Amino acid sequence: QVQLVESGGGLVQPGGSLRLSCAASGSIFSINAMGWYRQAPGKERELVAIISRGGSTNYADSVKGRFTISRDNAKNTVYLQMNSLKPEDTAVYYCNAVSGPYYSSSWGQGTQVTVSS
């Protein structure tokens, strides 16, 4: 199993930046891909960005050009750099890992990001 712990959320003004971190532990060797999802009040959880074992990345259209997903293999950590933040980016952000031969999904506890003046 994979355990995930997020950090880095908070309150930021529109146009500002935040960096989220997600530290993985446990069966990290079995991780196929990691990603960030978000869920705003009253809305469904949506994919924000994903990075594969090979380093390929994919982003939601709403964050392309503003957000960057990256990873530090030595630290078993995935990051989400968020720039030019907008009020509509306000949500709880969750880290996700897909691992093992059956692509089991693991989730972090979530971190709140609030974009407001």
Side-chain angles (χ1 to χ4, degrees):
Q1 291 187 351
V2 176
Q3 293 79 45
L4 304 171
V5 178
E6 302 110 331
S7 60
L11 173 64
V12 63
Q13 293 186 342
S17 298
L18 279 176
R19 189 177 79 159
L20 305 182
S21 299
C22 174
S25 61
S27 301
I28 56 175
F29 60 90
S30 67
I31 294 175
N32 298 308
M34 293 185 70
W36 289 95
Y37 289 70
R38 66 186 181 187
Q39 188 167 19
K43 295 188 177 181
E44 293 187 354
R45 192 172 297 188
E46 63 175 359
L47 174 67
V48 176
I50 190 168
I51 185 166
S52 72
R53 179 197 293 269
S56 299
T57 59
N58 200 13
Y59 297 90
D61 288 343
S62 59
V63 306
K64 282 181 181 176
R66 300 189 297 123
F67 291 11
T68 302
I69 189 170
S70 63
R71 66 186 186 191
D72 184 333
N73 291 332
K75 296 182 179 180
N76 300 320
T77 300
V78 170
Y79 303 98
L80 185 68
Q81 178 66 44
M82 305 184 293
N83 298 328
S84 302
L85 282 160
K86 305 175 181 180
E88 50 264 43
D89 294 318
T90 295
V92 178
Y93 283 70
Y94 296 91
C95 181
N96 173 265
V98 177
S99 61
Y102 304 108
Y103 291 81
S104 300
S105 189
S106 301
W107 294 93
Q109 80 283 1
T111 185
Q112 177 71 46
V113 172
T114 302
V115 184
S116 175
S117 55

